[in-house]
Amino acid sequence: MAMLAKIKLPRFASLKLRIAILYAGLFAAVLAVVLALVNVSIERFGENSASRDLAASARVFDEIIELRARQMRGATDVLARDYGFREALATEDEATLASALRNVRDRTNASSAFVVGLDGDIIGDGSGALPPAEPIWFALDSGENKGVIQLGDTLALAAASPIEVPDLMGWLVLASPLDKAEMARLGELAAVDFHSEVLLHDDLPDIAASQPPGTVIEAHDEARNLFRVSVLPSLQDGLDPRLVLRHSLASAMAEYAVLKYLIVLVGTLGLALVVALGWRIARGITKPLSALDDAVRQFGRGEEAVLQAETDDEVGRLATSFNSMVEAIAEREREIIHIGLHDGLTNLPNRKLFVEQLGQALARRKDGERVLVAYCDLDDFKVVNDTLGHPAGDTLLRQIAARLNSELGNARIARLGGDEFAVLTVVENENESLLPIAQHIQNCFAQQVEIGGHTVDCSASVGVAVAPIDGETGVDLLKHADLALYRAKRGGKSDFHFFEPSLDEQARVRREMELDLRLAIKDGGFELYFQPLYSLAREELEGFEALIRWNHPKRGMISPAEFIPLAEETGLILQIGEWVVREACRSAREWPEHLSVSVNVSAKQFSTPGLTTTILQALTQSGLRPNRLELEITESIFIADVEKTLSTLHKLRDLGVRIALDDFGTGYSSLSYLRSFPFDKVKIDQSFVRDLNVEGNNAHAVIRAITTLASALGMRTLAEGVEYAEQREILRREGCEYIQGFLLSRPVPASDVAALINCRDVGGLIRAVG
């Protein structure tokens, strides 16, 4: 049996030496691992760096080619507009043409210059190869003005300009070869060394042809070439040129060999010195890492953290990268905050920032100072968007924002959204009048703006609230300025209004009425009243006009003049209008067949796409014949889109219903609308009827003119607001066919309609309701 020998290791006399040897062994092991990792990192970094450099160089190369194309295009533009050149082309002076082409070719260092005629002929400068005519002609005719063409066996960069005398006669083309010499010259401007060439798609290497353009591809060959392919524009139909850049990754990585050797050398020296200088090396390594750790913790707590990059090694680069990261994050945070607090279109503060600025101004307000807030809304901004397009509207908003900034000095301007702006200014003099300030703000919007060749008249309505009189908080000031704006818009365009306490009460009443309107729609709180329409010719009832009434549970009967405008503004008129049509048709179904029912249709209701469907459903559900339903409209429906309005009217007429023009004579364009659409009936506004009792006016002549015009156009006439028998007789003499008013009856509930139907004459009708 073999004996195990005990080997006794020599004992070192010094603990320091043992520690040095042990530390050296550990250091050597760690160093080996570190060197391996560093080598991998360098390899990865080199590959990524080479790929980025190639991509960056490709972009630079693309820009160089684009710049060269623009240079040639500039030269062609100048020559194409030259009178002598165009005259030579028009007169087919080939000698002059050739001279001019050679001159522009030499001045631009191009290789070829030629003219492509509209007939497909090519006139060259007589010194170079010419491209095929037909593909070039098709590309030029489609609007292309620069790109690659085929000159013999060489691809060339070409730029073209149209020749107009003044009609198009052809195109002037300059071409510069993209051969090896030219590509090498252009490549000298790039950041890294690479090989470049322009190839057709079919001639690309397989590895480049299989990848999408713009992708950096590594070929697994000995040189480890990197490829990048870019698409070049073509000025020749059927030509598909590509810019191919090739960069040797192996050559690029060779530059990092010195770095690797340097790292190994440093490691070796470190190993030799580790025993004596171990503690200093440890401290030198851990100190910057500890500083980085502290900086990261500080940054995590939101504190400012900056590292001093004292060396150029990995630790120094790490410190520099950390500082760059901190700056980038801080910059992104600033950008995010800016985006969150500013309007993207005008770069003005948005509502959130404006509210903060308003709060700060109120908090800093001194005794005697006043804080003025103006809420501004552009007039007819929707018309600009609808007629000129949304880009024109955006341009208008930007120009207004610039004007406000330049005109209002130290005032703070904000865009609150849409076409709404806000102005905040502090008035230090307590005796200063605020009226000129509000007038100046309003005048800043009153201007003519040129947008895309169109002149746009701009104006705004402005509501003003002032602290501390109108409120001491930002919420109150903005609310009161908004109420003042609402009051200004009701007063007309291009006006301003200061807040008054009564506006707050009006807004409260308005909100309550809106809520009550919604409840009335939900709970069926409306009812229809009917006012008779009387035929003067037949001395009998013609039908009834349906009029909505609202019997409020607390306030009693509310006039339509009070709640209909609110319903129009809030959009509730659509639901109310649908109910009126359905209920009117249902009620009229119970009347004798010769009686019709008239229903008013609001402009907002008329503009909805589903109006025709609503009318059809009401007729179908009630069983009422379409010719017994008459829709009354006002000329305000024509304001937005006349063509669309006429289309809707014809669709309604196709259903079989009748159309009446209400309040005739009160608008500026009533006569033109009568010519545009064959209305069944024209309702003469009651203002003309009232004037019949006034001596010395021309009301008789106006009535006669309307009835004569309507009769000539095949339309019937009805006079509204007839209250006296004398008015009735005058209207009869002047040719009016129908009347409506208190002379016959006030509007009555549906339950009283039967009594009116049973009357046979006007006297009986009056007695029935008297």
Side-chain angles (χ1 to χ4, degrees), residues 549-732:
R549 293 293 183 266
W550 182 18
N551 191 358
H552 193 278
K554 295 181 179 179
R555 299 175 56 188
M557 196 66 73
I558 300 179
S559 170
E562 185 176 353
F563 71 83
I564 289 297
L566 178 60
E568 287 270 6
E569 182 179 342
T570 58
L572 296 176
I573 193 66
L574 300 180
Q575 301 175 57
I576 295 174
E578 290 181 8
W579 177 84
V580 170
V581 172
R582 291 195 304 269
E583 186 66 15
C585 291
R586 187 192 64 78
S587 297
R589 182 68 180 84
E590 306 300 325
W591 304 340
E593 286 292 324
H594 69 281
L595 296 180
S596 63
V597 63
S598 297
V599 178
N600 288 285
V601 178
S602 71
K604 184 176 288 291
Q605 185 182 4
F606 190 88
S607 64
T608 58
L611 176 62
T612 306
T613 303
T614 298
I615 301 299
L616 181 60
Q617 290 176 347
L619 293 171
T620 303
Q621 292 171 2
S622 64
L624 185 72
R625 288 189 292 108
N627 64 349
R628 294 181 60 194
L629 175 62
E630 184 174 79
L631 302 179
E632 297 184 8
I633 62 173
T634 63
E635 64 179 76
S636 60
I637 66 171
F638 290 93
I639 294 177
D641 189 337
V642 175
E643 295 298 328
K644 181 179 179 182
T645 298
L646 292 176
S647 174
T648 303
L649 287 174
H650 283 292
K651 289 180 182 178
L652 293 172
R653 174 66 63 77
D654 292 341
L655 293 179
V657 302
R658 294 181 293 175
I659 309 295
L661 181 60
D662 199 7
D663 299 334
F664 181 78
T666 59
Y668 293 104
S669 306
S670 297
L671 293 179
S672 65
Y673 298 144
L674 286 183
R675 296 176 56 193
S676 301
F677 183 79
F679 292 95
D680 296 287
K681 183 185 293 181
V682 174
K683 298 189 71 173
I684 303 172
D685 189 71
Q686 58 183 336
S687 61
F688 298 107
V689 177
R690 284 196 300 268
D691 289 345
L692 292 175
N693 296 329
V694 180
E695 295 293 337
N697 60 36
N698 58 359
H700 293 249
V702 172
I703 296 294
R704 188 183 312 117
I706 294 175
T707 57
T708 302
L709 175 63
S711 176
L713 295 176
M715 304 176 189
R716 294 173 292 171
T717 52
L718 181 147
E720 301 177 294
V722 180
E723 300 183 6
Y724 305 105
E726 293 83 355
Q727 295 172 335
R728 177 194 64 192
E729 295 308 318
I730 294 173
L731 290 168
R732 188 197 306 274

Side-chain angles (χ1 to χ4, degrees), residues 528-569:
L528 286 187
Y529 275 46
F530 297 90
Q531 187 174 32
L533 311 177
Y534 191 80
S535 171
L536 294 177
R538 299 192 301 273
E539 295 290 348
E540 63 179 12
L541 277 176
E542 167 73 12
F544 294 87
E545 180 178 1
L547 301 169
I548 190 170
R549 293 293 183 266
W550 182 18
N551 191 358
H552 193 278
K554 295 181 179 179
R555 299 175 56 188
M557 196 66 73
I558 300 179
S559 170
E562 185 176 353
F563 71 83
I564 289 297
L566 178 60
E568 287 270 6
E569 182 179 342

Side-chain angles (χ1 to χ4, degrees), residues 305-432:
V306 178
L307 286 176
Q308 296 295 328
E310 299 177 351
T311 62
D312 293 331
D313 58 10
E314 288 82 352
V315 175
R317 291 197 297 271
L318 182 60
T320 302
S321 299
F322 174 81
N323 292 335
S324 300
M325 179 190 70
V326 171
E327 293 176 0
I329 292 175
E331 179 63 26
R332 283 195 293 270
E333 288 179 350
R334 287 191 292 270
E335 291 178 359
I336 291 171
I337 293 173
H338 182 84
I339 292 172
L341 297 177
H342 289 77
D343 172 53
L345 179 64
T346 63
N347 203 34
L348 291 176
N350 60 14
R351 180 183 293 272
K352 181 178 180 181
L353 179 56
F354 184 78
V355 170
E356 291 181 5
Q357 293 174 340
L358 177 58
Q360 294 169 1
L362 292 172
R364 293 194 298 263
R365 187 182 66 83
K366 302 176 183 178
D367 292 339
E369 288 184 344
R370 291 169 293 175
V371 177
L372 182 146
V373 174
Y375 208 126
C376 314
D377 185 85
L378 296 184
D379 298 323
D380 298 328
F381 180 71
K382 185 176 184 298
V383 175
V384 177
N385 278 338
D386 292 343
T387 56
L388 301 181
H390 288 279
D394 292 344
T395 301
L396 175 61
L397 292 174
R398 284 192 292 266
Q399 293 192 21
I400 289 174
R403 181 179 177 89
L404 291 174
N405 277 326
S406 63
E407 292 288 335
L408 296 181
N410 295 327
R412 296 177 181 177
I413 320 297
R415 182 188 177 205
L416 303 185
D419 59 347
E420 296 178 347
F421 293 84
V423 179
L424 166 64
T425 184
V426 177
V427 183
E428 298 179 354
N429 185 354
E430 60 182 340
N431 297 319
E432 181 180 353

Side-chain angles (χ1 to χ4, degrees), residues 43 46 224 248-261:
E43 288 284 336
R224 298 180 63 188
S248 174
L249 181 60
S251 299
M253 293 304 300
E255 299 177 1
Y256 293 95
V258 176
L259 178 60
K260 295 179 182 179
Y261 296 146

